[in-house]
Amino acid sequence: MRRRSVLRASACAGAAAVVGNAFIGKPAMAWFHGLTAPRWQLPMPAFLGVGALYYGIVGYVLARTIDRRDARSTAWGLAVLMGNEAWNGVFFGRRSARAGFVGLCAFVVPLVALQWSVAGDARSRNALAPYTAYVLLYDLPWTYRLWRLNPTPARGHRPAPRA
C-alpha cells in the first residue's frame, strides 16, 4: 500500500473515532450500565477491544480501496465509518435500545455492501469478514435482546414509580 493511501484512510478512521465517541459522556455510559443486559453480553473491555479492532480493520480496508482507486468500495468504506458513528449518536444520544437496534439494522446495509464490494481483494475481504460476522452473529442478536429487555416507553408515558 502507498503511504498516502494509509495516511488518508488513517485520517478518516481516526476522525470518525474521535467524532463518533466525543458525545458519549458519563451520563450516556451511566445509562448504558443501568440497562438490563443479556446474560451473554460482552464485558466493557471486550467492547472497547472490538471497537479498536473495528477502526483498524476499516482503516486498512479503506487504505487498500484508495490505493486501488476503487471509488465504489471507498464510498462504502466511508459509509461504514459514518454509519457506525451515527449508530453511536442514535443509541447513546437517544438513550434508546430500540433506536440502537433499528440503527444497527441500517448499519448492516453499508457493511454488507462493503464486504461484497471488496470480494475481489482477498486481503480486504479476509480482514473485514470477521468484523462483518461479529456484527451479524453477535451485535444484531445482542441489540435486539437489549431492546426487548429494555423497551422504550411510549412518548409521553412515564412508568409508574417502583414502591
Side-chain angles (χ1 to χ4, degrees):
M1 282 186 294
R2 294 189 321 236
R3 182 178 177 171
R4 178 176 269 174
S5 302
V6 172
L7 291 174
R8 286 180 178 171
S10 297
C12 290
V18 169
V19 170
N21 292 292
F23 303 105
I24 303 173
K26 288 183 181 181
M29 288 310 295
W31 165 78
F32 177 73
H33 290 301
L35 294 173
T36 302
R39 67 181 185 278
W40 39 273
Q41 177 172 300
L42 294 174
M44 186 53 68
F47 276 125
L48 296 175
V50 169
L53 286 170
Y54 157 78
Y55 289 111
I57 290 167
V58 174
Y60 173 77
V61 170
L62 191 56
R64 291 186 59 78
T65 68
I66 293 168
D67 211 32
R68 290 191 323 272
R69 299 181 188 269
D70 181 349
R72 183 179 57 130
S73 296
T74 300
W76 283 122
L78 293 172
V80 165
L81 284 173
M82 290 186 298
N84 184 64
E85 305 327 315
W87 181 87
N88 280 337
V90 167
F91 181 69
F92 288 104
R94 295 190 66 175
R95 289 176 176 70
S96 167
R98 178 183 179 273
F101 174 68
V102 172
L104 188 63
C105 289
F107 173 73
V108 165
V109 173
L111 178 61
V112 169
L114 176 60
Q115 185 72 59
W116 183 262
S117 74
V118 299
D121 175 16
R123 289 183 180 179
S124 292
R125 179 186 67 235
N126 294 339
L128 186 59
Y131 180 72
T132 302
Y134 167 83
V135 169
L136 296 174
L137 301 174
Y138 176 80
D139 264 358
L140 275 174
W142 172 73
T143 56
Y144 177 78
R145 188 69 184 134
L146 195 67
W147 166 40
R148 301 317 301 153
L149 290 170
N150 302 278
T152 306
R155 282 194 167 197
H157 172 74
R158 298 191 188 269
R162 293 185 181 163

